[in-house]
Amino acid sequence: MTRGGQGLARVAVVVRAGAAPLWWLGVVAAGIGLLAPGLTGRRIGVLTGAALFVLATAAVAYGRRKHYKALAAFASRAGKRDVLQDRAVTVRNWRRVHRWWLLLAFLAALGSAFAAPAAGGMLLAGCGAGLWLKSAWLGRRERDGEALLWVRVDWLRGGAAHPAGKRVKAYRSTGIAAGDAAPGGSRRKSPTPA
């Protein structure tokens, strides 16, 4: 980091970082869970899992949207000395901080299969789907406002890797072309050669 500047991570990238691991761990846990008959039986387990999937997706996708909007509305312009963190670094940092929580969630989803087959895995997958939807919503806001949203890296340290958590006081903004991630936190598509 240069003197006087601050490291900034894309808000949408931080949100999106947990989507893929939660989705795939949930899919694997649900698949393995179907092998066990469970106390409720497979049919009830899958129906319960489907309901949990829908509820988790909605809760994660729509949770704290007012707070995100408030932080975005008062975002200040990033300074010349601020350092924009690469997408890959942000994703790696988030997953490193949350690796044990992801493992525990996966084991809990597997364990729940003995009661309701596949239900725990589908709940986990729903959380991942909700994060994808939330990052897509952030991407639409960024495109509409023609400004990318960033959060200070030091506010995401110490396990508080939530871009709308209590430690986050304000966002920074840049032009739509800044950084190496597209609006919504996905990889930028490289232009195809003519």
Side-chain angles (χ1 to χ4, degrees):
M1 186 171 7
T2 57
R3 186 179 176 188
Q6 293 171 325
L8 302 177
R10 277 286 301 287
V11 174
V13 172
V14 178
V15 169
R16 191 183 175 97
L22 284 169
W23 171 263
W24 288 113
L25 289 173
V27 168
V28 171
I32 295 173
L34 284 173
L35 300 176
L39 297 175
T40 63
R42 288 186 185 92
R43 183 173 177 272
I44 292 176
V46 170
L47 289 174
T48 302
L52 289 173
F53 178 87
V54 171
L55 289 174
T57 300
V60 172
Y62 290 97
R64 301 187 64 105
R65 280 199 178 186
K66 286 184 181 178
H67 195 53
Y68 280 96
K69 288 178 181 177
L71 288 168
F74 296 102
S76 58
R77 200 73 179 163
K80 290 182 180 179
R81 295 188 178 183
D82 289 334
V83 178
L84 306 181
Q85 191 175 79
D86 289 343
R87 179 185 183 279
V89 174
T90 302
V91 170
R92 185 174 64 241
N93 289 346
W94 189 96
R95 291 178 182 172
R96 184 182 300 140
V97 168
H98 291 85
R99 64 187 181 276
W100 296 113
W101 290 108
L102 291 169
L103 177 61
L104 286 173
F106 177 68
L107 293 175
L110 284 179
S112 71
F114 292 104
M122 293 174 82
L123 172 64
L124 208 58
C127 292
L131 288 176
W132 262 317
L133 290 175
K134 180 171 280 184
S135 68
W137 169 74
L138 283 166
R140 287 192 299 274
R141 284 190 61 86
E142 289 177 328
R143 284 188 197 94
D144 292 345
E146 295 185 353
L148 302 180
L149 299 173
W150 302 78
V151 62
R152 281 174 45 176
V153 171
D154 57 323
W155 286 342
L156 300 176
R157 288 189 181 140
H162 193 296
K166 291 181 180 178
R167 292 178 62 181
V168 178
K169 308 301 180 192
Y171 288 157
R172 302 279 176 87
S173 67
T174 63
I176 205 79
D180 65 343
S186 62
R187 288 187 185 95
R188 280 197 193 277
K189 293 178 182 175
S190 54
T192 55

